[in-house]
Amino acid sequence: MTAPKTLDAPYRPPRIFGPRYRTASLGILLVVTLIAFEGMSIGAVMPAASADLKALNLYGMSFSAFLIAGLFANVAAGLWSDRRGHAVPFLLGVGLFTAGMALAGAAWSKEVFIASRAVQGLGGGFAIVAIYVMIARVYAPDARPKIFAALSAAWVLPALIGPGVGGFIAETVGWRWVFYGIVPLVIPALVMLLPALRGGEGEAPVPGTGPRSRPVPMTLAALGAAVGAAVLLYGADRLHTHPVSGGITTAAGLAVLAAGLPRLLPPRALRFGRGLPTTVMMRGVLGGAFFGVNAFIPLVLQEEFGFDLTKAGVALTVGALGWSSGSYLQARHDWDRSRLVRFGAAAVTAGILLTLLAFVPGMTGWIMAPAWMVAGLGMGVGMPSVSITTMRQSPDDEQGANSAALQVIDTLGSSLTIGFGGVLVNLIGHDDIATGYTAIVAMTAAVGVLGMVVAGRMRDVS
């Protein structure tokens, strides 16, 4: 006779690769890995693409086009997911991302390349928000730290091999094949993902009734924020050649952005209100600080230290080791998430400042590799903690809106720091990359310090 099960057996959290979640987990991680490989490769090949298309200013604008287009897609995907479910925006996002990759590979001018990056941004924006909504609706709360850790881990292999492989491909067969090579990989990913989408919807979503659940005002606000950010960065990029018109354009873009952005975020977010508002804002603070430097490290290593594309890519790769380590550590216990985010902001700031050691006489450019591992550790600890806290603080009918808000502020923070970093390179570092890079470090380190100061406001006193 089988012994009866004891009622006081220890509770074990569900495994994300157990029978309950296996299909959804594999589907999510496959697509994230695909997007991550492109994201990690692009930084290493951008110097070659910029030289081939004869446009140094392509460097900042190509990253910003991706991120700004994603900003609009974030909001649309959040609304869609809250009202109709996450399957269709997920598939639409993957399709757009693939089309953008093909267009980037075929780009014959800088304008076409920037447009292709915008299409990729639309696709990535749809897909990533749908992933966050899927996690909130499919996974139990005690399983979410593990799936967010797995999401971070899905960046590890692309981060380890993406920059180096991307640089090698660019040097051997050409940078265009970095984009072309990803396109056929979408087919097996989608074949494995379709069952997860059909079986992962769970209960039908209940449309929200708050101000961020209204399609027309939110769409207009998203369009305004995206256009405002684009105009702001375009105007800033012209400051070094057309100071007057560039200044007017920059001010106009800032005004339009300021009009649309507050509607896309939780109330009091721009004032770092306690609880959810600050939690969402910390995503943009961490991303803006980290990626504002990450985008320019390959350029500095090549221009100042004579690295080839492959070596510059390898230097970025080391940061992924820190990121994966931080992600693993944050999933081990149910820590005080606000303290983890503060630690993350401090580590990112320290890593940013440590990269300047490369310019000390007698030092080598390779010092940027361990410095970026420190910054990656901060991102691995901080980013999943922000996501987990956001889901905890979100009512069921606002999961899509708050997932979109996370991506909006992440996109905006990264696009602004990368865009203004490109401005600094053109304005004060066109003939002296080291000076421009030092200015970028000062800008992004200030953002990191802000994160250290306000992270404690993530705690919801209610």
Side-chain angles (χ1 to χ4, degrees):
M1 179 180 295
T2 304
K5 294 183 179 180
T6 177
L7 295 178
D8 57 355
Y11 171 72
R12 294 182 178 179
R15 294 177 293 122
I16 62 172
F17 292 109
R20 180 178 177 184
Y21 296 133
R22 182 183 298 118
T23 305
S25 297
L26 289 175
I28 290 171
L29 295 179
L30 276 171
V31 174
V32 169
T33 299
L34 190 63
I35 294 175
F37 188 86
E38 185 276 340
M40 290 298 176
S41 300
I42 185 67
V45 305
M46 274 309 302
S50 298
D52 188 30
L53 298 174
K54 298 178 175 60
L56 181 61
N57 61 349
L58 180 68
Y59 210 89
M61 289 302 295
S62 64
F63 284 102
S64 297
F66 178 95
L67 296 169
I68 290 169
L71 188 153
F72 177 79
N74 295 153
V75 178
L79 288 168
W80 199 336
S81 297
D82 274 343
R83 300 174 72 86
R84 302 291 182 181
H86 52 263
V88 174
F90 195 99
L91 293 173
L92 175 63
V94 173
L96 286 171
F97 184 79
T98 306
M101 297 296 291
L103 184 60
W108 56 89
S109 68
K110 70 174 185 178
E111 291 80 11
V112 174
F113 187 84
I114 291 172
S116 73
R117 293 288 289 160
V119 175
Q120 292 173 44
L122 286 172
F126 272 105
I128 295 298
V129 169
I131 285 174
Y132 276 79
V133 176
M134 185 186 300
I135 289 173
R137 291 180 179 161
V138 173
Y139 292 82
D142 52 358
R144 291 173 192 165
K146 294 183 179 180
I147 187 61
F148 280 119
L151 284 183
S152 293
W155 286 76
V156 173
L157 181 61
L160 289 174
I161 70 172
V165 170
F168 176 77
I169 293 173
E171 289 185 323
T172 53
V173 297
W175 62 268
R176 297 177 186 274
W177 287 97
V178 175
F179 295 98
Y180 285 143
I182 295 177
V183 173
L185 300 178
V186 174
I187 297 174
L190 283 180
V191 169
M192 296 187 69
L193 180 64
L194 288 174
L197 291 175
R198 286 198 298 267
E201 288 288 348
E203 298 181 1
V206 178
T209 58
R212 288 189 295 145
S213 301
R214 299 169 186 168
V216 174
M218 287 292 287
T219 300
L220 292 176
L223 182 61
V227 170
V231 172
L232 169 63
L233 292 174
Y234 175 75
D237 190 57
R238 290 169 56 86
L239 287 173
H240 69 289
T241 55
H242 302 83
V244 177
S245 62
I248 294 173
T249 304
T250 300
L254 182 61
V256 175
L257 174 62
L261 181 61
R263 284 183 171 270
L264 308 179
L265 305 176
R268 301 179 293 109
L270 295 178
R271 291 181 287 164
F272 289 92
R274 285 197 173 275
L276 179 64
T278 293
T279 301
V280 170
M281 290 297 293
M282 286 304 301
R283 181 68 171 267
V285 170
L286 290 172
F290 181 86
F291 289 108
V293 172
N294 188 79
F296 294 96
I297 286 178
L299 180 66
V300 173
L301 291 177
Q302 291 176 67
E303 296 291 333
E304 293 293 316
F305 298 98
F307 282 36
D308 58 27
L309 291 174
T310 303
K311 290 180 179 178
V314 170
L316 279 184
T317 293
V318 180
L321 298 176
W323 193 314
S324 61
S325 299
S327 178
Y328 172 79
L329 291 173
Q330 66 80 32
R332 298 296 295 168
H333 300 283
D334 191 18
W335 310 90
D336 181 334
R337 294 289 165 179
S338 66
R339 291 185 178 180
L340 285 184
V341 174
R342 174 174 283 144
F343 171 82
V348 169
T349 305
I352 290 171
L353 294 173
L354 286 172
T355 63
L356 291 179
L357 291 176
F359 300 102
V360 174
M363 282 290 188
T364 171
W366 283 112
I367 195 67
M368 286 192 174
W372 215 232
M373 182 182 287
V374 174
L377 175 68
M379 292 295 281
V381 168
M383 294 294 263
S385 295
V386 169
S387 301
I388 292 165
T389 306
T390 299
M391 293 300 102
R392 286 177 177 173
Q393 295 173 336
S394 298
D396 290 345
D397 60 353
E398 293 183 5
Q399 289 168 347
N402 289 333
S403 296
L406 277 180
Q407 294 304 125
V408 164
I409 201 63
D410 188 0
T411 295
L412 190 60
S414 299
S415 64
L416 289 179
T417 54
I418 293 172
F420 278 104
V423 171
L424 291 171
V425 168
N426 284 323
L427 189 62
I428 64 177
H430 199 283
D431 299 318
D432 183 6
I433 299 297
T435 302
Y437 179 77
T438 302
I440 292 171
V441 165
M443 173 183 69
T444 53
V447 175
V449 170
L450 172 65
M452 295 165 58
V453 172
V454 302
R457 298 180 65 81
M458 289 173 57
R459 298 188 188 93
D460 191 342
V461 294
S462 62

